[in-house]
Amino acid sequence: MSYLEELNESQLKAVQNIEGPTMVIAGAGSGKTRVLTFRIAYMMENGVDPFNIMALTFTNKAAREMTERIGTIVGAGEARNITMGTFHSVFSRILRYNADRLGYPSNFTIYDTQDSKSLLREIIKQFNLDDKAYKPGNVLGRISSAKNNLISADAYMQNADIQAEDNLAKRPELGRIYKTYVQRCFNAGAMDFDDLLYNTNVLLRDFPDVLTHYQHKFKYILVDEYQDTNYAQYLIVKKLAAVFENICVVGDDAQSIYSFRGANIQNILNFKKDYPDFKLFKLEQNYRSTKNIVEAANSVIARNKDQIKKNVWTENGEGSKINVVRTLTDNEEGKLITNKIFDKSSEPGLTYNDFAILYRTNRQSRSFEESLRKLNIPYKIYGGLSFYQRKEIKDLLGYFRLTANPNDSEALKRVINYPKRGIGQTSFQNVIVAANNYNVSPWDVISDFAKYPVQLTTGARNKMIDFVIMIKSFAAQLDKMDGYSLAQEIAKTSGILKEMRTDKDKGPEEVERYQNVEELLAGIKEFTASRQEGESKSLSEFMLDVALLTDADEDKGDDRNHITLMTIHSSKGLEFPHVYLVGLEENLFPSQMALHSRTELEEERRLFYVAVTRAKETCTLSYATSRFQWGNLITSEPSRFIDEISPEFLHFETPERGRGKSLSGGMSNSFANPSGMGGLNKSFTKSPSLKRVENAKPSAPKTGGSLELKVGYNVSHDRFGKGKVIKLEGNGPDKKATIFFPKHGSKTVLLRFANLTVDG
C-alpha cells in the first residue's frame, strides 16, 4: 500500500478511520482531495463494496478525476462502481430511476436559470404584474430559497410570516407565482436545479421503501465541502446515513462563503450534535502557500467567533510579505496592478497563467480589462458567458431536449420557429393560452388540435403539425442511434446547419457561431466514443451530463496562456503562484450589504481568508481612495481586513527611485511605511487616509505614540470634524474609540490610525 506513504500523520489517521461518523477539518491547501481519494481506495482494499459507497464532490470534474485516481490503486473497473458526483448529479439519477413515484417522466428536463426566468416572465406577464416589482431574477431567488428550506408552494402561501414579508416588499403575488411555476414545470416534465434536491427529499419522505433501499445501498457516505451544504442537502445526507452512520464529512468552516446560495455553516459546526460519538481529524499542514501567507491568513480568520479552532501551519519557506498598495482611483489601480503583472511576468519561468486578479464583484473587472488590453496581455474572465449558454448552442440543445422530452415547453418555445418556418409569435402565444386553460403542456395542444381547439390559421396549424411529425421522428431514433449520429441527424434535418452554411453575409460572428455548433457536435462524438461497455451512448445521457455541468467544470479545462480574472467566490478550490486581491475598501470588501450583523461580517472575513489562501508565492492587496460608482466619484477608506492582518506579515510599498510618477502623471501611487504599522505617505493629505497618530498636530497631547484619551473628551478628525468620545475599548495598538460626530453620527476608529487631535 505504497500510496499511504504519501500521507502525513494526520492525513493517514483520517484515511484509516473508515467506520462510524467522522469529520475531517481540512485547512486551506492541506491535501483534502488526496485524503478523500485515498480514504475511498483504502475502504475498498479493506473489503468495502464500491457499490455501497456514495461520495459527493464539489464538481463533476473533481469526481471524474478522483475516480481515475482511485482506479489506479484498486482498478478502473471497480472504481466506476462507486456512486460519485455532485449532489445534483447523483440525486438526479436517483430521481430518474424513481420518477414515476412523483409523477414525472424518467426523461424529465432539467431547467437552467435562463429557462426558469423565461417561464417566470411568461407567468408574470399572464398575471398582468409589474415586471419591475416582480423581477424574474428576484422571484426565482425567493422560490429557490423556499425550496432549499423545503417549503412547498402551498406551505409558502399558508405561512403568515412569509406572506407578511412579501406584502412588506410589495410583492403579495409571489406565492401564486411560485405555485403556478411549480405546476408549469410539472406539466413540462421539468425540474429546476433546486427541484433535484427538493424532490429527492420528497421521495425519501413519502416512500419509506425507497429510503430503506438507499440507506442499505449507501452504507458508506462521504461528503466534500460540507460547510457549503444547505438544509435540503443536509437532510438528505442525514436520512441516508441514519442506519449505519458511516458518514465522513470533509470541509473547512473557515471557507464557508456561500450563504447567498443557501449554504448553512451550522451544518458543519453542529456535526458533533448530530453524531455525538464522532471522531474529529484536523488537517492543519498547508502544502500550498508560504509561511507569510499562511500566518497572515490565520491572523485574520482568528477574529471570527463561529469557528472550529485549528492551527494551520506550513513547512514551506518564509516567502515575501504581503504587499499592500494604495492608488488614488480605481482606474489607477487597474493600471498599476497590470503594470506590476507585466513586469513580474518577464521573470524566468513565469507565464501569464501564474497570475490571478481577484475581486469582490464582477463590475470591478473593467479597469483591469482596459489596462490589460492596452498592454496586449491575454486574459480570461471566469464566470462569463458559458459555452452552453450561447444562443446557437442553446438552439440546437433545444431540439435535443425536445426530442427526449416533447413536453419541455421552454425548449418548444425556443425552436418551434427556428429556423424560420412561418409559425409566428402570435400563433404560438394562442397555443400557450390554450395549454394554460386546459392545464396541459403546449406540446399536448399542437399534437392534438381536435382535443385542444385553438384559434390558428390553416397555414400555421399545418406547419405546427409538420413540426410535430419531425420531432416524433427524432424521438423514434432516441434509443436506436448513438448520441452523435442522432445529433447530426437533428442538426441537418432541423435546418440549423443549412441556415448557417448558406448565410451569404458571413462575418466573424457568424463564422464563430457555426464553429461553436461544430464544436458541440465534436463534443458529443467524443462523449459517445469515451463511454465504457454497458454505459449508455444515447443523446439523453449526453444531455444529462450537460444539464449538470457547473461553472467550475467548464472553466478549469482552459489551459491557454492568460491572466485569470474572477470573483473570489469563483476562485474557491483554485490556486495561483501570484495573486492580486483588489478593491480592498470598506463597503466594497467587506460589502456594505454584509455589515448588518456579526454573521454577515464573519462570512466576508471568511471570503477574504479564501482569497489570500489562493496564493502560493506572493499576494498583493490593493485599494483606491476614490472610485466611480453609478457615475459618481466617491471617496473610499481602506478595508478593515488590511488592518486585521498582523503587521509583521505586511509590506507597505515604498515608491521606487526613478518611478515617482504615477501612471496618470501625478504623484506616486505607492505609500511609505517606515515603521511597518500601516502608515500612509504624507503626500496624500488631500485624500482620506489612515495616517498614524504620530503625524498628528504637535499641539496634540500624546503618550507612547497615541493620544491620551478619556470618555467625554472633545476631539477633531480630518474627515468627520469635531466630535466627542463616548466609548473606549481595547489596549495597546488595538485600542479603539467610539466618537459621536454631530454631522456624521457615531464612528468607531482605531486610535493608531485615526489622526485625532484633542481640542482644548
Side-chain angles (χ1 to χ4, degrees):
M1 296 191 294
S2 59
Y3 67 94
L4 295 179
E5 295 174 6
E6 300 178 32
L7 303 173
N8 63 36
E9 185 179 350
S10 298
Q11 292 173 333
L12 182 61
K13 288 180 180 178
V15 164
Q16 292 180 323
N17 182 74
I18 62 176
E19 299 291 336
T22 304
M23 181 161 67
V24 180
I25 297 298
S30 63
K32 167 176 63 71
T33 303
R34 173 183 292 184
V35 167
L36 264 176
T37 304
F38 287 1
R39 192 175 196 272
I40 294 171
Y42 183 81
M43 289 163 64
M44 292 170 65
E45 285 193 336
N46 283 270
V48 176
D49 189 332
F51 284 100
N52 293 144
I53 299 173
M54 179 175 68
L56 302 167
T57 61
F58 190 60
T59 65
N60 292 297
K61 183 176 181 180
R64 286 192 292 269
E65 290 173 350
M66 284 176 61
T67 301
E68 289 173 8
R69 183 68 188 275
I70 293 167
T72 64
I73 301 172
V74 300
E78 284 293 277
R80 283 197 296 270
N81 294 330
I82 303 165
T83 299
M84 187 182 300
T86 63
F87 272 90
H88 294 91
S89 65
V90 169
F91 295 113
S92 68
R93 294 183 186 277
I94 290 176
L95 285 170
R96 287 190 188 281
Y97 189 78
N98 296 278
D100 60 315
R101 302 281 192 123
L102 301 175
Y104 283 86
S106 61
N107 59 348
F108 62 80
T109 300
I110 298 174
Y111 276 179
D112 63 16
T113 301
Q114 283 189 18
D115 296 321
S116 295
K117 286 182 179 178
S118 173
L119 177 54
L120 285 168
R121 284 191 197 96
E122 184 182 298
I123 295 169
I124 291 164
K125 183 178 180 181
Q126 178 193 339
F127 288 175
N128 293 317
L129 298 172
D130 183 356
D131 59 5
K132 293 180 180 178
Y134 293 90
K135 292 180 179 178
N138 293 341
V139 173
L140 182 60
R142 186 73 166 167
I143 292 172
S144 174
S145 180
K147 288 182 179 178
N148 285 333
N149 286 287
L150 304 182
I151 300 171
S152 68
D154 287 335
Y156 186 100
M157 296 178 74
Q158 293 166 11
N159 187 298
D161 291 336
I162 292 176
Q163 293 307 303
E165 287 178 17
D166 286 349
N167 288 331
L168 191 62
K170 297 182 178 179
R171 292 182 296 195
E173 296 293 326
L174 258 170
R176 188 160 67 109
I177 294 172
Y178 180 11
K179 187 164 186 175
T180 307
Y181 172 77
V182 170
Q183 185 61 50
R184 297 277 171 85
C185 285
F186 184 79
N187 290 346
M191 297 188 196
D192 62 22
F193 254 60
D194 297 312
D195 285 328
L196 298 178
L197 302 178
Y198 179 89
N199 286 333
T200 299
N201 273 290
V202 172
L203 181 69
L204 299 180
R205 180 195 69 195
D206 293 351
F207 300 94
D209 60 314
V210 175
L211 174 60
T212 300
H213 169 75
Y214 287 109
Q215 284 174 332
H216 287 79
K217 176 176 173 60
F218 300 129
K219 296 178 181 178
Y220 294 85
I221 299 174
L222 299 93
V223 186
D224 191 15
E225 305 288 1
Y226 191 64
Q227 77 281 351
D228 293 330
T229 53
N230 60 33
Y231 178 65
Q233 292 165 325
Y234 159 80
L235 208 59
I236 291 170
V237 170
K238 194 169 188 298
K239 286 179 179 178
L240 292 177
V243 174
F244 295 98
E245 292 198 345
N246 291 321
I247 176 172
C248 173
V249 301
V250 182
D252 182 7
D253 56 292
Q255 297 185 65
S256 177
I257 59 173
Y258 292 121
S259 67
F260 67 96
R261 293 182 187 170
N264 186 355
I265 191 175
Q266 296 303 320
N267 291 349
I268 194 167
L269 296 178
N270 292 334
F271 186 80
K272 59 185 177 183
K273 293 182 180 178
D274 290 329
Y275 307 96
D277 58 341
F278 84 113
K279 290 184 179 178
L280 173 64
F281 300 92
K282 295 181 181 180
L283 308 183
E284 297 173 306
Q285 183 174 358
N286 180 299
Y287 291 93
R288 176 189 301 156
S289 308
T290 64
K291 286 182 180 175
N292 266 307
I293 291 172
V294 170
E295 292 297 331
N298 286 348
S299 67
V300 174
I301 202 64
R303 295 173 178 262
N304 274 11
K305 289 187 175 181
D306 287 338
Q307 63 173 299
I308 298 169
K309 294 293 183 183
K310 55 188 167 296
N311 177 37
V312 179
W313 59 278
T314 184
E315 289 182 345
N316 294 339
E318 201 77 24
S320 305
K321 292 188 176 184
I322 290 180
N323 204 31
V324 185
V325 178
R326 181 187 75 168
T327 60
L328 292 176
T329 67
D330 50 345
N331 282 336
E332 287 195 6
E333 182 183 38
K335 294 172 185 175
L336 180 65
I337 294 301
T338 300
N339 274 275
K340 283 182 172 295
I341 293 175
F342 182 79
D343 292 343
K344 184 79 175 173
S345 65
S346 64
E347 294 181 7
L350 291 181
T351 67
Y352 289 132
N353 286 335
D354 295 323
F355 299 86
I357 299 174
L358 307 182
Y359 34 75
R360 180 64 179 82
T361 62
N362 276 309
R363 72 171 186 268
Q364 293 170 252
S365 71
R366 179 196 55 80
S367 64
F368 301 97
E369 289 189 75
E370 290 176 0
S371 300
L372 288 166
R373 281 198 294 267
K374 286 176 182 176
L375 289 177
N376 202 28
I377 295 176
Y379 67 91
K380 179 177 179 182
I381 296 182
Y382 284 70
L385 185 65
S386 156
F387 175 80
Y388 290 100
Q389 294 297 330
R390 298 179 188 277
K391 180 188 181 302
E392 62 275 15
I393 301 301
K394 292 274 284 185
D395 289 338
L396 187 49
L397 291 178
Y399 275 99
F400 298 166
R401 284 168 48 175
L402 209 55
T403 299
N405 173 21
N407 285 313
D408 184 342
S409 57
E410 289 303 307
L412 179 62
K413 186 193 308 181
R414 186 175 195 96
V415 303
I416 194 168
N417 196 41
Y418 177 79
K420 289 184 179 179
R421 51 178 59 90
I423 300 174
Q425 187 175 351
T426 302
S427 296
F428 188 64
Q429 192 60 42
N430 289 341
V431 170
I432 291 176
V433 170
N436 293 340
N437 289 339
Y438 288 107
N439 197 26
V440 295
S441 71
W443 175 265
D444 288 330
V445 174
I446 65 175
S447 298
D448 192 346
F449 286 120
K451 186 175 181 180
Y452 305 109
V454 57
Q455 186 177 351
L456 292 172
T457 64
T458 302
R461 185 185 303 265
N462 289 337
K463 285 164 185 171
M464 288 186 189
I465 291 172
D466 290 342
F467 179 81
V468 168
I469 293 170
M470 179 178 67
I471 297 299
K472 284 183 175 179
S473 73
F474 297 154
Q477 301 300 319
L478 197 59
D479 296 323
K480 298 175 182 177
M481 300 174 71
D482 67 72
Y484 174 66
S485 300
L486 181 55
Q488 268 199 321
E489 176 69 19
I490 293 172
K492 289 176 184 176
T493 307
S494 66
I496 287 180
L497 286 183
K498 182 181 178 182
E499 178 173 272
M500 288 187 163
R501 282 174 181 156
T502 57
D503 189 342
K504 292 184 168 57
D505 300 316
K506 278 190 179 178
E509 291 183 359
E510 286 73 23
V511 171
E512 183 182 1
R513 283 197 285 270
Y514 182 73
Q515 290 173 339
N516 286 338
V517 169
E518 285 188 319
E519 177 66 23
L520 174 62
L521 293 172
I524 300 173
K525 187 172 186 178
E526 182 182 346
F527 170 82
T528 56
S530 67
R531 302 296 282 175
Q532 303 294 322
E533 187 177 346
E535 292 183 320
S536 172
K537 297 183 179 183
S538 71
L539 191 58
S540 296
E541 193 67 22
F542 173 79
M543 291 301 295
L544 176 58
D545 263 25
V546 169
L548 294 166
L549 278 175
T550 66
D551 291 340
D553 286 323
E554 291 188 62
D555 290 338
K556 289 183 182 179
D558 192 342
D559 58 0
R560 289 172 295 177
N561 189 25
H562 57 242
I563 305 289
T564 295
L565 279 69
M566 59 170 54
T567 63
I568 304 167
H569 283 100
S570 298
S571 75
K572 182 131 181 300
L574 303 178
E575 58 182 41
F576 304 90
H578 307 285
V579 168
Y580 295 80
L581 179 52
V582 300
L584 263 294
E585 296 142 34
E586 283 292 302
N587 298 325
L588 182 55
F589 193 23
S591 167
Q592 186 175 18
M593 303 296 290
L595 299 178
H596 303 296
S597 69
R598 176 179 295 280
T599 299
E600 293 170 334
L601 178 59
E602 290 201 350
E603 175 148 337
E604 288 288 292
R605 189 176 286 116
R606 292 193 295 271
L607 189 60
F608 181 76
Y609 176 84
V610 166
V612 171
T613 55
R614 299 311 92 197
K616 297 169 70 176
E617 298 173 22
T618 69
C619 182
T620 297
L621 312 179
S622 70
Y623 69 94
T625 57
S626 61
R627 181 175 296 272
F628 275 98
Q629 288 189 14
W630 310 111
N632 298 315
L633 185 66
I634 64 166
T635 56
S636 309
E637 293 183 352
S639 168
R640 68 189 71 192
F641 296 146
I642 297 176
D643 187 52
E644 289 180 358
I645 299 176
S646 296
E648 64 264 31
F649 306 119
L650 295 177
H651 169 256
F652 292 86
E653 190 169 300
T654 305
E656 299 175 37
R657 291 187 179 278
R659 295 185 67 182
K661 296 288 184 182
S662 76
L663 295 168
S664 61
M667 295 297 295
S668 167
N669 294 299
S670 306
F671 55 92
N673 178 40
S675 64
M677 288 295 289
L680 302 188
N681 191 300
K682 296 178 186 177
S683 305
F684 297 99
T685 53
K686 291 184 179 180
S687 60
S689 65
L690 294 176
K691 291 191 294 182
R692 285 179 54 74
V693 176
E694 283 85 346
N695 294 332
K697 298 176 183 178
S699 59
K702 303 172 190 174
T703 302
S706 63
L707 294 174
E708 190 65 47
L709 285 184
K710 292 183 180 179
V711 173
Y713 273 23
N714 294 317
V715 295
S716 293
H717 185 275
D718 283 352
R719 179 180 176 188
F720 302 123
K722 295 182 181 295
K724 178 173 286 190
V725 179
I726 58 176
K727 183 179 178 182
L728 291 169
E729 56 185 329
N731 296 298
D734 294 325
K735 193 169 185 179
K736 298 178 182 178
T738 300
I739 304 166
F740 176 76
F741 298 97
K743 293 183 179 180
H744 300 278
S746 295
K747 302 286 182 183
T748 300
V749 298
L750 197 64
L751 289 183
R752 62 188 170 110
F753 291 148
N755 192 34
L756 297 173
T757 57
V758 176
D759 294 340

